[in-house]
Short mmCIF file of all heavy atoms in Angstrom, two decimals:
data_model
loop_
_atom_site.label_atom_id
_atom_site.label_comp_id
_atom_site.label_asym_id
_atom_site.label_seq_id
_atom_site.Cartn_x
_atom_site.Cartn_y
_atom_site.Cartn_z
N TRP A 72 -8.67 -0.17 -8.43
CA TRP A 72 -8.11 -1.50 -8.14
C TRP A 72 -9.21 -2.54 -8.26
O TRP A 72 -10.33 -2.35 -7.79
CB TRP A 72 -7.51 -1.49 -6.73
CG TRP A 72 -6.47 -0.49 -6.49
CD1 TRP A 72 -6.55 0.57 -5.66
CD2 TRP A 72 -5.15 -0.43 -7.07
NE1 TRP A 72 -5.38 1.28 -5.67
CE2 TRP A 72 -4.50 0.70 -6.53
CE3 TRP A 72 -4.48 -1.23 -7.98
CZ2 TRP A 72 -3.19 1.03 -6.87
CZ3 TRP A 72 -3.18 -0.88 -8.32
CH2 TRP A 72 -2.56 0.23 -7.76
N LEU A 73 -8.86 -3.67 -8.85
CA LEU A 73 -9.77 -4.79 -8.93
C LEU A 73 -9.77 -5.57 -7.62
O LEU A 73 -8.75 -5.65 -6.95
CB LEU A 73 -9.37 -5.72 -10.08
CG LEU A 73 -9.32 -5.11 -11.47
CD1 LEU A 73 -8.84 -6.15 -12.48
CD2 LEU A 73 -10.67 -4.56 -11.85
N LYS A 74 -10.87 -6.14 -7.28
CA LYS A 74 -10.96 -6.97 -6.08
C LYS A 74 -11.24 -8.39 -6.53
O LYS A 74 -12.23 -9.01 -6.16
CB LYS A 74 -12.07 -6.44 -5.17
CG LYS A 74 -11.75 -5.04 -4.64
CD LYS A 74 -12.76 -4.57 -3.65
CE LYS A 74 -12.54 -3.19 -3.12
NZ LYS A 74 -11.35 -2.52 -3.30
N ASP A 75 -10.30 -8.92 -7.33
CA ASP A 75 -10.45 -10.25 -7.91
C ASP A 75 -9.70 -11.25 -7.05
O ASP A 75 -8.48 -11.39 -7.14
CB ASP A 75 -9.89 -10.22 -9.34
CG ASP A 75 -10.19 -11.47 -10.12
OD1 ASP A 75 -10.18 -12.59 -9.51
OD2 ASP A 75 -10.44 -11.38 -11.32
N HIS A 76 -10.44 -11.97 -6.22
CA HIS A 76 -9.83 -12.91 -5.28
C HIS A 76 -9.17 -14.09 -5.97
O HIS A 76 -8.14 -14.60 -5.52
CB HIS A 76 -10.89 -13.40 -4.28
CG HIS A 76 -11.39 -12.31 -3.38
ND1 HIS A 76 -10.72 -11.95 -2.22
CD2 HIS A 76 -12.46 -11.48 -3.45
CE1 HIS A 76 -11.38 -10.97 -1.62
NE2 HIS A 76 -12.42 -10.66 -2.38
N LYS A 77 -9.74 -14.52 -7.10
CA LYS A 77 -9.16 -15.66 -7.83
C LYS A 77 -7.79 -15.28 -8.41
O LYS A 77 -6.84 -16.04 -8.28
CB LYS A 77 -10.12 -16.10 -8.92
CG LYS A 77 -9.64 -17.35 -9.66
CD LYS A 77 -10.65 -17.83 -10.67
CE LYS A 77 -10.10 -19.05 -11.37
NZ LYS A 77 -10.99 -19.54 -12.42
N LYS A 78 -7.71 -14.11 -9.07
CA LYS A 78 -6.43 -13.68 -9.62
C LYS A 78 -5.39 -13.48 -8.51
O LYS A 78 -4.23 -13.82 -8.66
CB LYS A 78 -6.58 -12.37 -10.40
CG LYS A 78 -7.17 -12.54 -11.78
CD LYS A 78 -7.19 -11.23 -12.52
CE LYS A 78 -7.80 -11.37 -13.89
NZ LYS A 78 -7.84 -10.10 -14.64
N PHE A 79 -5.85 -12.92 -7.38
CA PHE A 79 -4.93 -12.72 -6.25
C PHE A 79 -4.44 -14.07 -5.74
O PHE A 79 -3.23 -14.23 -5.51
CB PHE A 79 -5.63 -11.94 -5.13
CG PHE A 79 -4.74 -11.71 -3.94
CD1 PHE A 79 -3.72 -10.79 -4.00
CD2 PHE A 79 -4.92 -12.44 -2.77
CE1 PHE A 79 -2.87 -10.59 -2.90
CE2 PHE A 79 -4.10 -12.24 -1.68
CZ PHE A 79 -3.08 -11.31 -1.74
N GLN A 80 -5.31 -15.03 -5.60
CA GLN A 80 -4.90 -16.35 -5.10
C GLN A 80 -3.95 -17.02 -6.08
O GLN A 80 -2.99 -17.69 -5.66
CB GLN A 80 -6.11 -17.25 -4.84
CG GLN A 80 -5.76 -18.50 -4.05
CD GLN A 80 -5.16 -18.20 -2.68
OE1 GLN A 80 -5.71 -17.42 -1.90
NE2 GLN A 80 -4.03 -18.80 -2.39
N ASN A 81 -4.19 -16.87 -7.37
CA ASN A 81 -3.25 -17.41 -8.35
C ASN A 81 -1.88 -16.77 -8.23
O ASN A 81 -0.85 -17.45 -8.36
CB ASN A 81 -3.79 -17.22 -9.79
CG ASN A 81 -4.92 -18.20 -10.10
OD1 ASN A 81 -5.06 -19.24 -9.47
ND2 ASN A 81 -5.72 -17.86 -11.09
N TRP A 82 -1.85 -15.48 -7.98
CA TRP A 82 -0.57 -14.77 -7.75
C TRP A 82 0.11 -15.34 -6.50
O TRP A 82 1.30 -15.65 -6.54
CB TRP A 82 -0.86 -13.27 -7.60
CG TRP A 82 0.32 -12.42 -7.27
CD1 TRP A 82 1.28 -11.95 -8.10
CD2 TRP A 82 0.63 -11.89 -5.96
NE1 TRP A 82 2.18 -11.16 -7.42
CE2 TRP A 82 1.79 -11.13 -6.10
CE3 TRP A 82 0.03 -12.01 -4.71
CZ2 TRP A 82 2.39 -10.46 -5.03
CZ3 TRP A 82 0.62 -11.36 -3.64
CH2 TRP A 82 1.77 -10.60 -3.80
N VAL A 83 -0.63 -15.49 -5.40
CA VAL A 83 -0.08 -16.05 -4.17
C VAL A 83 0.49 -17.44 -4.40
O VAL A 83 1.58 -17.78 -3.90
CB VAL A 83 -1.20 -16.10 -3.07
CG1 VAL A 83 -0.80 -16.99 -1.91
CG2 VAL A 83 -1.51 -14.69 -2.58
N ASP A 84 -0.22 -18.25 -5.17
CA ASP A 84 0.18 -19.65 -5.37
C ASP A 84 1.21 -19.83 -6.48
O ASP A 84 1.64 -20.98 -6.75
CB ASP A 84 -1.06 -20.50 -5.72
CG ASP A 84 -2.02 -20.61 -4.57
OD1 ASP A 84 -1.59 -20.46 -3.39
OD2 ASP A 84 -3.23 -20.84 -4.81
N GLY A 85 1.61 -18.74 -7.14
CA GLY A 85 2.57 -18.87 -8.25
C GLY A 85 1.97 -19.53 -9.46
O GLY A 85 2.61 -20.38 -10.10
N ARG A 86 0.75 -19.12 -9.81
CA ARG A 86 0.06 -19.69 -10.97
C ARG A 86 -0.40 -18.53 -11.88
O ARG A 86 -1.58 -18.42 -12.19
CB ARG A 86 -1.12 -20.54 -10.54
CG ARG A 86 -0.72 -21.85 -9.88
CD ARG A 86 -1.92 -22.72 -9.51
NE ARG A 86 -2.54 -22.16 -8.30
CZ ARG A 86 -3.84 -21.95 -8.16
NH1 ARG A 86 -4.68 -22.22 -9.12
NH2 ARG A 86 -4.33 -21.45 -7.03
N THR A 87 0.54 -17.71 -12.32
CA THR A 87 0.21 -16.58 -13.22
C THR A 87 0.77 -16.92 -14.60
O THR A 87 1.33 -18.00 -14.84
CB THR A 87 0.85 -15.28 -12.71
OG1 THR A 87 2.26 -15.32 -12.93
CG2 THR A 87 0.53 -15.01 -11.26
N SER A 88 0.68 -15.98 -15.50
CA SER A 88 1.22 -16.15 -16.86
C SER A 88 2.72 -15.88 -16.93
O SER A 88 3.31 -16.09 -17.99
CB SER A 88 0.48 -15.22 -17.81
OG SER A 88 0.67 -13.88 -17.43
N GLU A 89 3.32 -15.49 -15.83
CA GLU A 89 4.75 -15.14 -15.82
C GLU A 89 5.55 -16.11 -14.96
O GLU A 89 5.45 -16.08 -13.72
CB GLU A 89 4.96 -13.72 -15.31
CG GLU A 89 4.51 -12.63 -16.25
CD GLU A 89 5.37 -12.53 -17.51
OE1 GLU A 89 6.50 -13.08 -17.54
OE2 GLU A 89 4.90 -11.89 -18.47
N PRO A 90 6.39 -16.95 -15.57
CA PRO A 90 7.19 -17.91 -14.80
C PRO A 90 8.11 -17.26 -13.76
O PRO A 90 8.30 -17.81 -12.69
CB PRO A 90 8.01 -18.65 -15.88
CG PRO A 90 7.26 -18.43 -17.15
CD PRO A 90 6.56 -17.11 -17.02
N PHE A 91 8.68 -16.10 -14.07
CA PHE A 91 9.57 -15.42 -13.14
C PHE A 91 8.80 -14.98 -11.88
O PHE A 91 9.29 -15.11 -10.76
CB PHE A 91 10.23 -14.21 -13.82
CG PHE A 91 11.36 -13.60 -13.05
CD1 PHE A 91 12.46 -14.36 -12.66
CD2 PHE A 91 11.34 -12.25 -12.69
CE1 PHE A 91 13.52 -13.79 -11.95
CE2 PHE A 91 12.39 -11.67 -11.98
CZ PHE A 91 13.48 -12.44 -11.62
N VAL A 92 7.59 -14.49 -12.06
CA VAL A 92 6.72 -14.13 -10.94
C VAL A 92 6.37 -15.39 -10.14
O VAL A 92 6.47 -15.43 -8.90
CB VAL A 92 5.43 -13.41 -11.41
CG1 VAL A 92 4.42 -13.28 -10.28
CG2 VAL A 92 5.78 -12.05 -12.00
N ASN A 93 6.00 -16.44 -10.84
CA ASN A 93 5.61 -17.70 -10.19
C ASN A 93 6.74 -18.26 -9.34
O ASN A 93 6.54 -18.69 -8.21
CB ASN A 93 5.18 -18.72 -11.23
CG ASN A 93 3.95 -18.28 -11.99
OD1 ASN A 93 3.23 -17.39 -11.56
ND2 ASN A 93 3.73 -18.87 -13.15
N ALA A 94 7.98 -18.28 -9.91
CA ALA A 94 9.13 -18.80 -9.17
C ALA A 94 9.36 -18.01 -7.88
O ALA A 94 9.61 -18.59 -6.82
CB ALA A 94 10.38 -18.77 -10.05
N ASN A 95 9.25 -16.72 -7.94
CA ASN A 95 9.45 -15.88 -6.76
C ASN A 95 8.35 -16.12 -5.73
O ASN A 95 8.63 -16.20 -4.53
CB ASN A 95 9.49 -14.40 -7.15
CG ASN A 95 10.86 -13.97 -7.63
OD1 ASN A 95 11.78 -13.83 -6.85
ND2 ASN A 95 11.00 -13.82 -8.94
N MET A 96 7.11 -16.26 -6.17
CA MET A 96 6.02 -16.47 -5.23
C MET A 96 6.11 -17.85 -4.56
O MET A 96 5.80 -18.00 -3.38
CB MET A 96 4.67 -16.28 -5.92
CG MET A 96 4.40 -14.86 -6.38
SD MET A 96 4.56 -13.61 -5.07
CE MET A 96 3.17 -14.06 -4.03
N ILE A 97 6.58 -18.86 -5.31
CA ILE A 97 6.73 -20.19 -4.74
C ILE A 97 7.88 -20.17 -3.72
O ILE A 97 7.79 -20.79 -2.66
CB ILE A 97 6.94 -21.23 -5.85
CG1 ILE A 97 5.63 -21.38 -6.65
CG2 ILE A 97 7.38 -22.57 -5.27
CD1 ILE A 97 5.77 -22.16 -7.94
N GLU A 98 8.95 -19.46 -4.05
CA GLU A 98 10.06 -19.34 -3.12
C GLU A 98 9.59 -18.69 -1.81
O GLU A 98 9.91 -19.17 -0.72
CB GLU A 98 11.20 -18.48 -3.72
CG GLU A 98 12.37 -18.28 -2.75
CD GLU A 98 13.40 -17.31 -3.25
OE1 GLU A 98 13.03 -16.34 -3.92
OE2 GLU A 98 14.58 -17.50 -2.93
N LEU A 99 8.78 -17.64 -1.91
CA LEU A 99 8.27 -17.00 -0.71
C LEU A 99 7.40 -17.96 0.10
O LEU A 99 7.55 -18.06 1.33
CB LEU A 99 7.44 -15.76 -1.09
CG LEU A 99 6.70 -15.06 0.06
CD1 LEU A 99 7.70 -14.51 1.07
CD2 LEU A 99 5.82 -13.93 -0.51
N LYS A 100 6.54 -18.69 -0.57
CA LYS A 100 5.63 -19.61 0.12
C LYS A 100 6.42 -20.74 0.83
O LYS A 100 6.05 -21.16 1.93
CB LYS A 100 4.64 -20.21 -0.87
CG LYS A 100 3.53 -21.01 -0.24
CD LYS A 100 2.57 -21.52 -1.26
CE LYS A 100 1.25 -20.81 -1.09
NZ LYS A 100 0.21 -21.33 -1.96
#
Side-chain angles (χ1 to χ4, degrees):
W72 302 113
L73 301 178
K74 296 185 182 346
D75 190 323
H76 294 276
K77 185 176 179 183
K78 282 184 181 180
F79 179 74
Q80 192 60 51
N81 285 339
W82 175 81
V83 164
D84 293 336
R86 290 183 283 132
T87 72
S88 60
E89 288 292 344
F91 191 58
V92 169
N93 297 341
N95 278 285
M96 294 306 294
I97 292 168
E98 179 188 33
L99 174 62
K100 189 177 248 185

